[in-house]
PDB file of all heavy atoms in Angstrom:
ATOM      1  N   GLU A   1       0.599  -8.963  14.304  1.00 89.00           N
ATOM      2  CA  GLU A   1      -0.293  -9.587  15.283  1.00 89.00           C
ATOM      3  C   GLU A   1      -1.739  -9.280  14.913  1.00 89.00           C
ATOM      4  O   GLU A   1      -2.299  -8.245  15.256  1.00 89.00           O
ATOM      5  CB  GLU A   1       0.023  -9.066  16.694  1.00 89.00           C
ATOM      6  CG  GLU A   1       1.409  -9.416  17.197  1.00 89.00           C
ATOM      7  CD  GLU A   1       1.531 -10.887  17.588  1.00 89.00           C
ATOM      8  OE1 GLU A   1       0.488 -11.568  17.695  1.00 89.00           O
ATOM      9  OE2 GLU A   1       2.673 -11.350  17.781  1.00 89.00           O
ATOM     10  N   MET A   2      -2.350 -10.198  14.186  1.00 88.00           N
ATOM     11  CA  MET A   2      -3.684  -9.938  13.646  1.00 88.00           C
ATOM     12  C   MET A   2      -4.746  -9.858  14.733  1.00 88.00           C
ATOM     13  O   MET A   2      -5.710  -9.100  14.613  1.00 88.00           O
ATOM     14  CB  MET A   2      -4.056 -11.015  12.634  1.00 88.00           C
ATOM     15  CG  MET A   2      -3.258 -10.911  11.356  1.00 88.00           C
ATOM     16  SD  MET A   2      -4.018 -11.890  10.076  1.00 88.00           S
ATOM     17  CE  MET A   2      -2.598 -12.737   9.449  1.00 88.00           C
ATOM     18  N   GLY A   3      -4.583 -10.639  15.804  1.00 88.00           N
ATOM     19  CA  GLY A   3      -5.545 -10.567  16.900  1.00 88.00           C
ATOM     20  C   GLY A   3      -5.558  -9.177  17.520  1.00 88.00           C
ATOM     21  O   GLY A   3      -6.620  -8.616  17.800  1.00 88.00           O
ATOM     22  N   PHE A   4      -4.375  -8.613  17.725  1.00 90.00           N
ATOM     23  CA  PHE A   4      -4.272  -7.257  18.267  1.00 90.00           C
ATOM     24  C   PHE A   4      -4.926  -6.254  17.310  1.00 90.00           C
ATOM     25  O   PHE A   4      -5.689  -5.381  17.736  1.00 90.00           O
ATOM     26  CB  PHE A   4      -2.796  -6.888  18.476  1.00 90.00           C
ATOM     27  CG  PHE A   4      -2.577  -5.453  18.863  1.00 90.00           C
ATOM     28  CD1 PHE A   4      -2.712  -5.054  20.180  1.00 90.00           C
ATOM     29  CD2 PHE A   4      -2.248  -4.512  17.909  1.00 90.00           C
ATOM     30  CE1 PHE A   4      -2.527  -3.726  20.546  1.00 90.00           C
ATOM     31  CE2 PHE A   4      -2.066  -3.179  18.259  1.00 90.00           C
ATOM     32  CZ  PHE A   4      -2.205  -2.791  19.581  1.00 90.00           C
ATOM     33  N   ALA A   5      -4.634  -6.385  16.016  1.00 91.00           N
ATOM     34  CA  ALA A   5      -5.200  -5.458  15.035  1.00 91.00           C
ATOM     35  C   ALA A   5      -6.727  -5.517  15.031  1.00 91.00           C
ATOM     36  O   ALA A   5      -7.408  -4.490  14.987  1.00 91.00           O
ATOM     37  CB  ALA A   5      -4.654  -5.771  13.645  1.00 91.00           C
ATOM     38  N   ARG A   6      -7.269  -6.733  15.104  1.00 90.00           N
ATOM     39  CA  ARG A   6      -8.734  -6.886  15.121  1.00 90.00           C
ATOM     40  C   ARG A   6      -9.348  -6.209  16.348  1.00 90.00           C
ATOM     41  O   ARG A   6     -10.400  -5.577  16.271  1.00 90.00           O
ATOM     42  CB  ARG A   6      -9.108  -8.373  15.162  1.00 90.00           C
ATOM     43  CG  ARG A   6      -9.170  -9.049  13.806  1.00 90.00           C
ATOM     44  CD  ARG A   6      -9.617 -10.495  14.015  1.00 90.00           C
ATOM     45  NE  ARG A   6      -9.552 -11.277  12.808  1.00 90.00           N
ATOM     46  CZ  ARG A   6     -10.557 -11.399  11.931  1.00 90.00           C
ATOM     47  NH1 ARG A   6     -11.687 -10.764  12.142  1.00 90.00           N
ATOM     48  NH2 ARG A   6     -10.433 -12.141  10.857  1.00 90.00           N
ATOM     49  N   ASP A   7      -8.683  -6.356  17.505  1.00 90.00           N
ATOM     50  CA  ASP A   7      -9.236  -5.846  18.765  1.00 90.00           C
ATOM     51  C   ASP A   7      -9.088  -4.344  18.926  1.00 90.00           C
ATOM     52  O   ASP A   7      -9.920  -3.703  19.565  1.00 90.00           O
ATOM     53  CB  ASP A   7      -8.543  -6.523  19.962  1.00 90.00           C
ATOM     54  CG  ASP A   7      -8.901  -7.995  20.083  1.00 90.00           C
ATOM     55  OD1 ASP A   7      -9.864  -8.428  19.414  1.00 90.00           O
ATOM     56  OD2 ASP A   7      -8.207  -8.713  20.834  1.00 90.00           O
ATOM     57  N   VAL A   8      -8.003  -3.791  18.383  1.00 92.00           N
ATOM     58  CA  VAL A   8      -7.618  -2.420  18.745  1.00 92.00           C
ATOM     59  C   VAL A   8      -7.722  -1.427  17.593  1.00 92.00           C
ATOM     60  O   VAL A   8      -8.098  -0.271  17.792  1.00 92.00           O
ATOM     61  CB  VAL A   8      -6.172  -2.415  19.314  1.00 92.00           C
ATOM     62  CG1 VAL A   8      -5.662  -1.000  19.534  1.00 92.00           C
ATOM     63  CG2 VAL A   8      -6.120  -3.207  20.619  1.00 92.00           C
ATOM     64  N   ALA A   9      -7.389  -1.845  16.377  1.00 94.00           N
ATOM     65  CA  ALA A   9      -7.233  -0.888  15.277  1.00 94.00           C
ATOM     66  C   ALA A   9      -8.573  -0.309  14.825  1.00 94.00           C
ATOM     67  O   ALA A   9      -9.575  -1.013  14.730  1.00 94.00           O
ATOM     68  CB  ALA A   9      -6.532  -1.551  14.094  1.00 94.00           C
ATOM     69  N   ASP A  10      -8.567   0.992  14.542  1.00 94.00           N
ATOM     70  CA  ASP A  10      -9.672   1.612  13.819  1.00 94.00           C
ATOM     71  C   ASP A  10      -9.508   1.374  12.319  1.00 94.00           C
ATOM     72  O   ASP A  10     -10.488   1.316  11.583  1.00 94.00           O
ATOM     73  CB  ASP A  10      -9.684   3.130  14.069  1.00 94.00           C
ATOM     74  CG  ASP A  10      -9.870   3.463  15.537  1.00 94.00           C
ATOM     75  OD1 ASP A  10     -10.851   2.979  16.128  1.00 94.00           O
ATOM     76  OD2 ASP A  10      -9.018   4.183  16.093  1.00 94.00           O
ATOM     77  N   ARG A  11      -8.233   1.250  11.905  1.00 96.00           N
ATOM     78  CA  ARG A  11      -7.940   1.113  10.470  1.00 96.00           C
ATOM     79  C   ARG A  11      -6.681   0.284  10.305  1.00 96.00           C
ATOM     80  O   ARG A  11      -5.732   0.424  11.078  1.00 96.00           O
ATOM     81  CB  ARG A  11      -7.748   2.517   9.881  1.00 96.00           C
ATOM     82  CG  ARG A  11      -7.418   2.567   8.409  1.00 96.00           C
ATOM     83  CD  ARG A  11      -7.664   3.974   7.826  1.00 96.00           C
ATOM     84  NE  ARG A  11      -7.101   5.039   8.622  1.00 96.00           N
ATOM     85  CZ  ARG A  11      -6.059   5.803   8.230  1.00 96.00           C
ATOM     86  NH1 ARG A  11      -5.474   5.599   7.064  1.00 96.00           N
ATOM     87  NH2 ARG A  11      -5.616   6.761   9.012  1.00 96.00           N
ATOM     88  N   VAL A  12      -6.682  -0.589   9.316  1.00 96.00           N
ATOM     89  CA  VAL A  12      -5.498  -1.372   8.965  1.00 96.00           C
ATOM     90  C   VAL A  12      -5.060  -0.950   7.565  1.00 96.00           C
ATOM     91  O   VAL A  12      -5.873  -0.875   6.641  1.00 96.00           O
ATOM     92  CB  VAL A  12      -5.797  -2.887   8.993  1.00 96.00           C
ATOM     93  CG1 VAL A  12      -4.585  -3.684   8.501  1.00 96.00           C
ATOM     94  CG2 VAL A  12      -6.177  -3.336  10.400  1.00 96.00           C
ATOM     95  N   CYS A  13      -3.756  -0.672   7.424  1.00 96.00           N
ATOM     96  CA  CYS A  13      -3.197  -0.290   6.127  1.00 96.00           C
ATOM     97  C   CYS A  13      -2.198  -1.359   5.693  1.00 96.00           C
ATOM     98  O   CYS A  13      -1.280  -1.690   6.452  1.00 96.00           O
ATOM     99  CB  CYS A  13      -2.481   1.057   6.218  1.00 96.00           C
ATOM    100  SG  CYS A  13      -3.542   2.420   6.726  1.00 96.00           S
ATOM    101  N   PHE A  14      -2.377  -1.876   4.487  1.00 95.00           N
ATOM    102  CA  PHE A  14      -1.472  -2.887   3.950  1.00 95.00           C
ATOM    103  C   PHE A  14      -0.515  -2.226   2.974  1.00 95.00           C
ATOM    104  O   PHE A  14      -0.931  -1.612   1.982  1.00 95.00           O
ATOM    105  CB  PHE A  14      -2.249  -4.008   3.255  1.00 95.00           C
ATOM    106  CG  PHE A  14      -1.364  -4.982   2.538  1.00 95.00           C
ATOM    107  CD1 PHE A  14      -0.496  -5.807   3.247  1.00 95.00           C
ATOM    108  CD2 PHE A  14      -1.363  -5.055   1.151  1.00 95.00           C
ATOM    109  CE1 PHE A  14       0.349  -6.687   2.586  1.00 95.00           C
ATOM    110  CE2 PHE A  14      -0.526  -5.935   0.480  1.00 95.00           C
ATOM    111  CZ  PHE A  14       0.327  -6.747   1.204  1.00 95.00           C
ATOM    112  N   PHE A  15       0.773  -2.341   3.266  1.00 93.00           N
ATOM    113  CA  PHE A  15       1.836  -1.738   2.459  1.00 93.00           C
ATOM    114  C   PHE A  15       2.416  -2.753   1.482  1.00 93.00           C
ATOM    115  O   PHE A  15       2.595  -3.918   1.817  1.00 93.00           O
ATOM    116  CB  PHE A  15       2.999  -1.306   3.368  1.00 93.00           C
ATOM    117  CG  PHE A  15       2.865   0.042   3.988  1.00 93.00           C
ATOM    118  CD1 PHE A  15       1.882   0.295   4.922  1.00 93.00           C
ATOM    119  CD2 PHE A  15       3.736   1.062   3.647  1.00 93.00           C
ATOM    120  CE1 PHE A  15       1.758   1.535   5.526  1.00 93.00           C
ATOM    121  CE2 PHE A  15       3.630   2.310   4.242  1.00 93.00           C
ATOM    122  CZ  PHE A  15       2.644   2.544   5.180  1.00 93.00           C
ATOM    123  N   ASP A  16       2.770  -2.266   0.317  1.00 91.00           N
ATOM    124  CA  ASP A  16       3.586  -3.053  -0.606  1.00 91.00           C
ATOM    125  C   ASP A  16       4.242  -2.099  -1.590  1.00 91.00           C
ATOM    126  O   ASP A  16       3.576  -1.204  -2.134  1.00 91.00           O
ATOM    127  CB  ASP A  16       2.732  -4.088  -1.352  1.00 91.00           C
ATOM    128  CG  ASP A  16       3.580  -5.165  -2.025  1.00 91.00           C
ATOM    129  OD1 ASP A  16       4.626  -5.534  -1.455  1.00 91.00           O
ATOM    130  OD2 ASP A  16       3.212  -5.620  -3.110  1.00 91.00           O
ATOM    131  N   GLY A  17       5.538  -2.260  -1.780  1.00 88.00           N
ATOM    132  CA  GLY A  17       6.256  -1.446  -2.760  1.00 88.00           C
ATOM    133  C   GLY A  17       6.211   0.044  -2.495  1.00 88.00           C
ATOM    134  O   GLY A  17       6.144   0.849  -3.428  1.00 88.00           O
ATOM    135  N   GLY A  18       6.269   0.437  -1.212  1.00 88.00           N
ATOM    136  CA  GLY A  18       6.324   1.858  -0.880  1.00 88.00           C
ATOM    137  C   GLY A  18       5.013   2.590  -0.994  1.00 88.00           C
ATOM    138  O   GLY A  18       4.978   3.824  -0.982  1.00 88.00           O
ATOM    139  N   GLN A  19       3.919   1.851  -1.076  1.00 91.00           N
ATOM    140  CA  GLN A  19       2.592   2.455  -1.156  1.00 91.00           C
ATOM    141  C   GLN A  19       1.620   1.699  -0.253  1.00 91.00           C
ATOM    142  O   GLN A  19       1.845   0.523   0.052  1.00 91.00           O
ATOM    143  CB  GLN A  19       2.054   2.381  -2.597  1.00 91.00           C
ATOM    144  CG  GLN A  19       2.809   3.218  -3.605  1.00 91.00           C
ATOM    145  CD  GLN A  19       2.392   4.689  -3.560  1.00 91.00           C
ATOM    146  OE1 GLN A  19       1.554   5.078  -2.762  1.00 91.00           O
ATOM    147  NE2 GLN A  19       3.009   5.495  -4.406  1.00 91.00           N
ATOM    148  N   ILE A  20       0.548   2.350   0.141  1.00 94.00           N
ATOM    149  CA  ILE A  20      -0.568   1.642   0.776  1.00 94.00           C
ATOM    150  C   ILE A  20      -1.453   1.128  -0.352  1.00 94.00           C
ATOM    151  O   ILE A  20      -2.037   1.915  -1.105  1.00 94.00           O
ATOM    152  CB  ILE A  20      -1.365   2.566   1.710  1.00 94.00           C
ATOM    153  CG1 ILE A  20      -0.492   3.000   2.890  1.00 94.00           C
ATOM    154  CG2 ILE A  20      -2.621   1.862   2.224  1.00 94.00           C
ATOM    155  CD1 ILE A  20      -1.113   4.052   3.774  1.00 94.00           C
ATOM    156  N   VAL A  21      -1.512  -0.188  -0.495  1.00 94.00           N
ATOM    157  CA  VAL A  21      -2.272  -0.751  -1.613  1.00 94.00           C
ATOM    158  C   VAL A  21      -3.690  -1.142  -1.193  1.00 94.00           C
ATOM    159  O   VAL A  21      -4.549  -1.376  -2.049  1.00 94.00           O
ATOM    160  CB  VAL A  21      -1.551  -1.963  -2.253  1.00 94.00           C
ATOM    161  CG1 VAL A  21      -0.227  -1.544  -2.844  1.00 94.00           C
ATOM    162  CG2 VAL A  21      -1.346  -3.084  -1.247  1.00 94.00           C
ATOM    163  N   GLU A  22      -3.932  -1.224   0.119  1.00 95.00           N
ATOM    164  CA  GLU A  22      -5.290  -1.484   0.587  1.00 95.00           C
ATOM    165  C   GLU A  22      -5.406  -1.006   2.029  1.00 95.00           C
ATOM    166  O   GLU A  22      -4.475  -1.159   2.817  1.00 95.00           O
ATOM    167  CB  GLU A  22      -5.621  -2.976   0.503  1.00 95.00           C
ATOM    168  CG  GLU A  22      -7.058  -3.279   0.868  1.00 95.00           C
ATOM    169  CD  GLU A  22      -7.504  -4.683   0.472  1.00 95.00           C
ATOM    170  OE1 GLU A  22      -6.766  -5.400  -0.223  1.00 95.00           O
ATOM    171  OE2 GLU A  22      -8.621  -5.043   0.874  1.00 95.00           O
ATOM    172  N   GLU A  23      -6.533  -0.413   2.368  1.00 96.00           N
ATOM    173  CA  GLU A  23      -6.786  -0.025   3.756  1.00 96.00           C
ATOM    174  C   GLU A  23      -8.269  -0.127   4.051  1.00 96.00           C
ATOM    175  O   GLU A  23      -9.112  -0.030   3.161  1.00 96.00           O
ATOM    176  CB  GLU A  23      -6.264   1.381   4.049  1.00 96.00           C
ATOM    177  CG  GLU A  23      -6.898   2.494   3.281  1.00 96.00           C
ATOM    178  CD  GLU A  23      -6.277   3.840   3.625  1.00 96.00           C
ATOM    179  OE1 GLU A  23      -6.275   4.211   4.822  1.00 96.00           O
ATOM    180  OE2 GLU A  23      -5.803   4.526   2.712  1.00 96.00           O
ATOM    181  N   GLY A  24      -8.585  -0.332   5.324  1.00 95.00           N
ATOM    182  CA  GLY A  24      -9.981  -0.441   5.720  1.00 95.00           C
ATOM    183  C   GLY A  24     -10.072  -0.824   7.176  1.00 95.00           C
ATOM    184  O   GLY A  24      -9.053  -0.906   7.877  1.00 95.00           O
ATOM    185  N   ASP A  25     -11.299  -1.049   7.665  1.00 94.00           N
ATOM    186  CA  ASP A  25     -11.428  -1.489   9.048  1.00 94.00           C
ATOM    187  C   ASP A  25     -10.961  -2.943   9.143  1.00 94.00           C
ATOM    188  O   ASP A  25     -10.955  -3.672   8.136  1.00 94.00           O
ATOM    189  CB  ASP A  25     -12.853  -1.316   9.561  1.00 94.00           C
ATOM    190  CG  ASP A  25     -13.835  -2.235   8.854  1.00 94.00           C
ATOM    191  OD1 ASP A  25     -13.818  -3.450   9.116  1.00 94.00           O
ATOM    192  OD2 ASP A  25     -14.621  -1.728   8.033  1.00 94.00           O
ATOM    193  N   PRO A  26     -10.539  -3.384  10.344  1.00 94.00           N
ATOM    194  CA  PRO A  26      -9.930  -4.713  10.468  1.00 94.00           C
ATOM    195  C   PRO A  26     -10.817  -5.846   9.941  1.00 94.00           C
ATOM    196  O   PRO A  26     -10.332  -6.764   9.286  1.00 94.00           O
ATOM    197  CB  PRO A  26      -9.691  -4.856  11.979  1.00 94.00           C
ATOM    198  CG  PRO A  26      -9.620  -3.470  12.491  1.00 94.00           C
ATOM    199  CD  PRO A  26     -10.515  -2.649  11.627  1.00 94.00           C
ATOM    200  N   GLU A  27     -12.108  -5.762  10.209  1.00 93.00           N
ATOM    201  CA  GLU A  27     -13.005  -6.840   9.784  1.00 93.00           C
ATOM    202  C   GLU A  27     -12.971  -7.009   8.261  1.00 93.00           C
ATOM    203  O   GLU A  27     -12.887  -8.121   7.740  1.00 93.00           O
ATOM    204  CB  GLU A  27     -14.427  -6.534  10.265  1.00 93.00           C
ATOM    205  CG  GLU A  27     -15.356  -7.734  10.271  1.00 93.00           C
ATOM    206  CD  GLU A  27     -14.864  -8.878  11.154  1.00 93.00           C
ATOM    207  OE1 GLU A  27     -14.184  -8.624  12.167  1.00 93.00           O
ATOM    208  OE2 GLU A  27     -15.160 -10.036  10.802  1.00 93.00           O
ATOM    209  N   GLN A  28     -13.016  -5.887   7.566  1.00 93.00           N
ATOM    210  CA  GLN A  28     -13.000  -5.956   6.098  1.00 93.00           C
ATOM    211  C   GLN A  28     -11.667  -6.478   5.581  1.00 93.00           C
ATOM    212  O   GLN A  28     -11.614  -7.353   4.714  1.00 93.00           O
ATOM    213  CB  GLN A  28     -13.300  -4.566   5.512  1.00 93.00           C
ATOM    214  CG  GLN A  28     -13.341  -4.532   3.987  1.00 93.00           C
ATOM    215  CD  GLN A  28     -12.031  -4.030   3.390  1.00 93.00           C
ATOM    216  OE1 GLN A  28     -11.569  -2.958   3.734  1.00 93.00           O
ATOM    217  NE2 GLN A  28     -11.415  -4.811   2.512  1.00 93.00           N
ATOM    218  N   ILE A  29     -10.567  -5.968   6.131  1.00 94.00           N
ATOM    219  CA  ILE A  29      -9.243  -6.382   5.643  1.00 94.00           C
ATOM    220  C   ILE A  29      -9.011  -7.866   5.888  1.00 94.00           C
ATOM    221  O   ILE A  29      -8.516  -8.586   5.014  1.00 94.00           O
ATOM    222  CB  ILE A  29      -8.130  -5.545   6.329  1.00 94.00           C
ATOM    223  CG1 ILE A  29      -8.190  -4.089   5.869  1.00 94.00           C
ATOM    224  CG2 ILE A  29      -6.745  -6.140   6.055  1.00 94.00           C
ATOM    225  CD1 ILE A  29      -7.750  -3.817   4.458  1.00 94.00           C
ATOM    226  N   PHE A  30      -9.381  -8.354   7.072  1.00 92.00           N
ATOM    227  CA  PHE A  30      -9.058  -9.739   7.417  1.00 92.00           C
ATOM    228  C   PHE A  30     -10.046 -10.756   6.861  1.00 92.00           C
ATOM    229  O   PHE A  30      -9.693 -11.914   6.664  1.00 92.00           O
ATOM    230  CB  PHE A  30      -8.944  -9.898   8.940  1.00 92.00           C
ATOM    231  CG  PHE A  30      -7.777  -9.156   9.520  1.00 92.00           C
ATOM    232  CD1 PHE A  30      -7.926  -8.363  10.647  1.00 92.00           C
ATOM    233  CD2 PHE A  30      -6.526  -9.230   8.935  1.00 92.00           C
ATOM    234  CE1 PHE A  30      -6.851  -7.669  11.186  1.00 92.00           C
ATOM    235  CE2 PHE A  30      -5.445  -8.539   9.466  1.00 92.00           C
ATOM    236  CZ  PHE A  30      -5.605  -7.757  10.584  1.00 92.00           C
ATOM    237  N   THR A  31     -11.283 -10.347   6.623  1.00 92.00           N
ATOM    238  CA  THR A  31     -12.262 -11.326   6.132  1.00 92.00           C
ATOM    239  C   THR A  31     -12.508 -11.215   4.637  1.00 92.00           C
ATOM    240  O   THR A  31     -12.829 -12.220   3.999  1.00 92.00           O
ATOM    241  CB  THR A  31     -13.618 -11.177   6.866  1.00 92.00           C
ATOM    242  OG1 THR A  31     -14.115  -9.856   6.663  1.00 92.00           O
ATOM    243  CG2 THR A  31     -13.468 -11.440   8.346  1.00 92.00           C
ATOM    244  N   ALA A  32     -12.340 -10.017   4.074  1.00 93.00           N
ATOM    245  CA  ALA A  32     -12.615  -9.866   2.635  1.00 93.00           C
ATOM    246  C   ALA A  32     -11.662  -8.865   1.998  1.00 93.00           C
ATOM    247  O   ALA A  32     -12.080  -7.828   1.470  1.00 93.00           O
ATOM    248  CB  ALA A  32     -14.061  -9.421   2.431  1.00 93.00           C
ATOM    249  N   PRO A  33     -10.332  -9.166   2.036  1.00 93.00           N
ATOM    250  CA  PRO A  33      -9.392  -8.235   1.386  1.00 93.00           C
ATOM    251  C   PRO A  33      -9.690  -8.114  -0.107  1.00 93.00           C
ATOM    252  O   PRO A  33     -10.058  -9.092  -0.754  1.00 93.00           O
ATOM    253  CB  PRO A  33      -8.020  -8.877   1.643  1.00 93.00           C
ATOM    254  CG  PRO A  33      -8.307 -10.302   1.959  1.00 93.00           C
ATOM    255  CD  PRO A  33      -9.654 -10.349   2.576  1.00 93.00           C
ATOM    256  N   LYS A  34      -9.532  -6.905  -0.625  1.00 93.00           N
ATOM    257  CA  LYS A  34      -9.920  -6.650  -2.016  1.00 93.00           C
ATOM    258  C   LYS A  34      -8.809  -6.961  -3.007  1.00 93.00           C
ATOM    259  O   LYS A  34      -9.078  -7.226  -4.182  1.00 93.00           O
ATOM    260  CB  LYS A  34     -10.344  -5.181  -2.161  1.00 93.00           C
ATOM    261  CG  LYS A  34     -11.621  -4.851  -1.394  1.00 93.00           C
ATOM    262  CD  LYS A  34     -11.896  -3.364  -1.405  1.00 93.00           C
ATOM    263  CE  LYS A  34     -13.127  -3.039  -0.566  1.00 93.00           C
ATOM    264  NZ  LYS A  34     -13.295  -1.600  -0.371  1.00 93.00           N
ATOM    265  N   THR A  35      -7.548  -6.904  -2.568  1.00 94.00           N
ATOM    266  CA  THR A  35      -6.441  -7.115  -3.506  1.00 94.00           C
ATOM    267  C   THR A  35      -5.826  -8.494  -3.309  1.00 94.00           C
ATOM    268  O   THR A  35      -5.736  -8.999  -2.180  1.00 94.00           O
ATOM    269  CB  THR A  35      -5.339  -6.052  -3.310  1.00 94.00           C
ATOM    270  OG1 THR A  35      -4.794  -6.188  -1.995  1.00 94.00           O
ATOM    271  CG2 THR A  35      -5.893  -4.638  -3.475  1.00 94.00           C
ATOM    272  N   GLU A  36      -5.384  -9.085  -4.397  1.00 94.00           N
ATOM    273  CA  GLU A  36      -4.752 -10.406  -4.332  1.00 94.00           C
ATOM    274  C   GLU A  36      -3.467 -10.348  -3.508  1.00 94.00           C
ATOM    275  O   GLU A  36      -3.151 -11.275  -2.763  1.00 94.00           O
ATOM    276  CB  GLU A  36      -4.460 -10.920  -5.744  1.00 94.00           C
ATOM    277  CG  GLU A  36      -3.793 -12.287  -5.803  1.00 94.00           C
ATOM    278  CD  GLU A  36      -4.584 -13.385  -5.083  1.00 94.00           C
ATOM    279  OE1 GLU A  36      -5.827 -13.298  -5.003  1.00 94.00           O
ATOM    280  OE2 GLU A  36      -3.938 -14.320  -4.565  1.00 94.00           O
ATOM    281  N   ARG A  37      -2.733  -9.240  -3.620  1.00 93.00           N
ATOM    282  CA  ARG A  37      -1.465  -9.117  -2.882  1.00 93.00           C
ATOM    283  C   ARG A  37      -1.720  -9.160  -1.372  1.00 93.00           C
ATOM    284  O   ARG A  37      -0.978  -9.790  -0.622  1.00 93.00           O
ATOM    285  CB  ARG A  37      -0.776  -7.803  -3.268  1.00 93.00           C
ATOM    286  CG  ARG A  37       0.624  -7.654  -2.696  1.00 93.00           C
ATOM    287  CD  ARG A  37       1.581  -8.652  -3.310  1.00 93.00           C
ATOM    288  NE  ARG A  37       2.849  -8.680  -2.583  1.00 93.00           N
ATOM    289  CZ  ARG A  37       3.096  -9.454  -1.532  1.00 93.00           C
ATOM    290  NH1 ARG A  37       2.177 -10.271  -1.073  1.00 93.00           N
ATOM    291  NH2 ARG A  37       4.282  -9.434  -0.944  1.00 93.00           N
ATOM    292  N   CYS A  38      -2.765  -8.490  -0.910  1.00 94.00           N
ATOM    293  CA  CYS A  38      -3.109  -8.500   0.510  1.00 94.00           C
ATOM    294  C   CYS A  38      -3.551  -9.902   0.931  1.00 94.00           C
ATOM    295  O   CYS A  38      -3.158 -10.384   2.003  1.00 94.00           O
ATOM    296  CB  CYS A  38      -4.202  -7.479   0.788  1.00 94.00           C
ATOM    297  SG  CYS A  38      -4.561  -7.247   2.549  1.00 94.00           S
ATOM    298  N   ARG A  39      -4.341 -10.557   0.103  1.00 93.00           N
ATOM    299  CA  ARG A  39      -4.782 -11.927   0.419  1.00 93.00           C
ATOM    300  C   ARG A  39      -3.586 -12.861   0.580  1.00 93.00           C
ATOM    301  O   ARG A  39      -3.516 -13.659   1.508  1.00 93.00           O
ATOM    302  CB  ARG A  39      -5.717 -12.455  -0.687  1.00 93.00           C
ATOM    303  CG  ARG A  39      -7.137 -11.934  -0.588  1.00 93.00           C
ATOM    304  CD  ARG A  39      -8.087 -12.729  -1.479  1.00 93.00           C
ATOM    305  NE  ARG A  39      -7.872 -12.464  -2.892  1.00 93.00           N
ATOM    306  CZ  ARG A  39      -8.432 -11.464  -3.562  1.00 93.00           C
ATOM    307  NH1 ARG A  39      -9.265 -10.638  -2.949  1.00 93.00           N
ATOM    308  NH2 ARG A  39      -8.192 -11.296  -4.842  1.00 93.00           N
ATOM    309  N   GLN A  40      -2.617 -12.755  -0.335  1.00 93.00           N
ATOM    310  CA  GLN A  40      -1.410 -13.600  -0.275  1.00 93.00           C
ATOM    311  C   GLN A  40      -0.653 -13.352   1.020  1.00 93.00           C
ATOM    312  O   GLN A  40      -0.198 -14.292   1.678  1.00 93.00           O
ATOM    313  CB  GLN A  40      -0.483 -13.290  -1.466  1.00 93.00           C
ATOM    314  CG  GLN A  40      -0.974 -13.799  -2.805  1.00 93.00           C
ATOM    315  CD  GLN A  40      -0.085 -13.298  -3.935  1.00 93.00           C
ATOM    316  OE1 GLN A  40       0.776 -12.435  -3.737  1.00 93.00           O
ATOM    317  NE2 GLN A  40      -0.294 -13.834  -5.127  1.00 93.00           N
ATOM    318  N   PHE A  41      -0.487 -12.083   1.372  1.00 93.00           N
ATOM    319  CA  PHE A  41       0.264 -11.742   2.577  1.00 93.00           C
ATOM    320  C   PHE A  41      -0.417 -12.309   3.821  1.00 93.00           C
ATOM    321  O   PHE A  41       0.239 -12.916   4.667  1.00 93.00           O
ATOM    322  CB  PHE A  41       0.401 -10.221   2.695  1.00 93.00           C
ATOM    323  CG  PHE A  41       1.012  -9.782   3.991  1.00 93.00           C
ATOM    324  CD1 PHE A  41       2.376  -9.906   4.204  1.00 93.00           C
ATOM    325  CD2 PHE A  41       0.224  -9.273   5.023  1.00 93.00           C
ATOM    326  CE1 PHE A  41       2.954  -9.528   5.416  1.00 93.00           C
ATOM    327  CE2 PHE A  41       0.783  -8.890   6.223  1.00 93.00           C
ATOM    328  CZ  PHE A  41       2.153  -9.019   6.419  1.00 93.00           C
ATOM    329  N   LEU A  42      -1.724 -12.124   3.938  1.00 92.00           N
ATOM    330  CA  LEU A  42      -2.444 -12.614   5.118  1.00 92.00           C
ATOM    331  C   LEU A  42      -2.382 -14.133   5.202  1.00 92.00           C
ATOM    332  O   LEU A  42      -2.221 -14.697   6.288  1.00 92.00           O
ATOM    333  CB  LEU A  42      -3.901 -12.141   5.085  1.00 92.00           C
ATOM    334  CG  LEU A  42      -4.098 -10.628   5.256  1.00 92.00           C
ATOM    335  CD1 LEU A  42      -5.558 -10.257   5.060  1.00 92.00           C
ATOM    336  CD2 LEU A  42      -3.600 -10.147   6.608  1.00 92.00           C
TER     337      LEU A  42
END
């Protein structure tokens, strides 16, 4: 639920393959994810 994450989370962690591959504040993760895998998932 991305709306909930944007409103409530201090930090969002994106998991893939048993690791956190990207983390940051919701605004950064949802508007400018740094990894292609995170972009694909969103």
Side-chain angles (χ1 to χ4, degrees):
E1 296 286 347
M2 289 195 227
F4 173 83
R6 274 183 187 270
D7 291 347
V8 173
D10 299 306
R11 179 163 48 111
V12 175
C13 300
F14 173 67
F15 275 67
D16 196 35
Q19 293 279 1
I20 295 172
V21 297
E22 185 166 352
E23 63 182 303
D25 67 73
E27 198 59 30
Q28 181 261 305
I29 292 288
F30 293 133
T31 59
K34 293 172 183 171
T35 63
E36 180 57 29
R37 187 67 191 88
C38 188
R39 281 194 289 274
Q40 287 173 350
F41 173 76
L42 292 174

